[in-house]
Amino acid sequence: YFARLRVPETEHDARFFASPLDKKIDRVVKPLDAIAGTDPAMMRNAGRARHVLDAPIPILLQGETGTGKEAFAKALHASSRRAGKPFVALNCAAIPEALIESELFGYNEGAFTGARAKGMRGKILLSSGGTLFLDEIGDMPLDLQSRLLRVLAEGEIQPLGADMPVAVDLHVICATHRNLAEWVAAGKFREDLFFRLNGACFDLPPLRSRSDIRDLIAKILVEEGLVCGKTCTFGEGVLECLAGYRWPGNIRELRNALRYACSIAEG
């Protein structure tokens, strides 16, 4: 018997001969690198995130509105071993307080007047095995904060109207534009839940502070041009003007502005 070892001659061959370790490294690196760009603060966030991706640690994302907290959470999920499982998001500020409990915990048939005939699986149960993203966690009502704390501690939920709890494989990523430590001091957020969620904390910089703002603007212009079915380019001085603006709405405001510009561009 004999064997011959040769260097792959094409990219296709290289992918064919890639080891499982190579594929794992590729899975971990690409989504985070894409979201980080070349900004030092974001690159540090991405580098630190790689160490906690698959650890049983809740993650807290902090930053101004529009800084891309949900996009960062999706990159974390896509880079983790849970990537093939659901990524389930709930905006705690966008749902009426009366509905958040049923949205989060679900309910059984006949749990209350107006309930669906077959009940409803809540966001927590839907995310079991994957990732639960709780956006604007600072706006969650205090009574629900205590229930969420119990779920995190015990690894099980009890839907409304259910007799027995249901086990869940839960990984939570939370996001907020508020200063939760100040809200804890003001009695607006439970201190015990804050320390439970603050396992690994990442601060996302505002767009005006990012050193790669010009590259980010150019990248989003290409993406929005594709959405509009156009190839758009900047006129002279436009990139300088955009890079010098403070963008109070951050990346969300930038994306909307460029989408509008691409939509009305005639040439």
Side-chain angles (χ1 to χ4, degrees):
Y1 294 95
F2 68 93
R4 178 178 296 164
L5 181 65
R6 66 178 178 86
V7 176
E9 297 175 355
T10 67
E11 183 181 355
H12 177 272
D13 291 336
R15 287 198 301 268
F16 181 79
F17 286 108
S19 71
L21 178 59
D22 293 333
K23 293 178 181 178
K24 181 179 180 181
I25 292 173
D26 184 64
R27 169 178 61 81
V28 169
V29 171
K30 284 190 174 181
L32 286 170
D33 283 349
I35 203 73
T38 58
D39 178 72
M42 288 297 291
M43 291 174 70
R44 285 194 297 272
N45 279 335
R48 193 157 53 91
R50 293 187 185 101
H51 295 287
V52 298
L53 281 173
D54 294 322
I57 300 173
I59 294 174
L60 177 63
L61 307 180
Q62 299 184 130
E64 294 180 8
T65 296
T67 49
K69 296 184 289 294
E70 183 168 355
F72 195 83
K74 287 180 178 178
L76 288 169
H77 173 76
S79 302
S80 74
R81 67 167 181 262
R82 295 174 178 260
K85 300 295 183 179
F87 177 91
V88 180
L90 176 68
N91 189 318
C92 300
I95 298 177
E97 185 172 331
L99 299 179
I100 289 183
E101 184 172 18
S102 59
E103 285 285 334
L104 195 58
F105 298 96
Y107 56 83
N108 281 8
E109 177 182 356
F112 54 87
T113 302
R116 294 180 186 176
K118 295 183 179 180
M120 184 183 78
R121 300 179 71 198
K123 301 291 188 184
I124 292 177
L125 196 55
L126 289 172
S127 73
S128 184
T131 298
L132 176 65
F133 176 62
L134 297 176
D135 199 8
E136 300 303 347
I137 186 67
D139 293 291
M140 176 175 283
L142 281 169
D143 58 332
L144 285 188
Q145 291 178 25
S146 61
R147 288 199 62 186
L148 177 61
L149 179 66
R150 192 175 306 115
V151 171
L152 294 173
E154 299 175 2
E156 60 183 25
I157 66 166
Q158 188 157 351
L160 298 174
D163 295 326
M164 299 293 294
V166 180
V168 289
D169 175 13
L170 193 60
H171 182 245
V172 176
I173 301 177
C174 294
T176 182
H177 72 282
R178 304 189 185 280
N179 187 320
L180 286 188
E182 291 181 359
W183 276 55
V184 168
K188 296 180 180 179
F189 199 84
R190 291 182 62 107
E191 184 177 37
D192 46 5
L193 180 59
F194 171 64
F195 288 121
R196 172 72 70 170
L197 296 175
N198 193 19
C201 184
F202 297 87
D203 291 304
L204 275 59
L207 179 58
R208 61 185 173 273
S209 299
R210 290 186 59 156
S211 62
D212 61 347
I213 185 171
R214 291 172 178 265
D215 293 337
L216 193 56
I217 291 171
K219 175 177 177 288
I220 292 177
L221 178 68
V222 172
E223 293 172 355
E224 294 306 325
L226 290 173
V227 170
C228 298
K230 300 178 180 178
T231 301
C232 297
T233 57
F234 291 121
E236 186 175 352
V238 174
L239 181 58
E240 182 178 351
C241 178
L242 294 175
Y245 180 60
R246 288 187 61 79
W247 298 108
N250 292 293
I251 297 173
R252 183 180 294 117
E253 182 187 7
L254 168 65
R255 189 173 291 279
N256 286 339
L258 293 182
R259 181 169 297 184
Y260 174 74
C262 290
S263 297
I264 66 172
E266 296 180 353

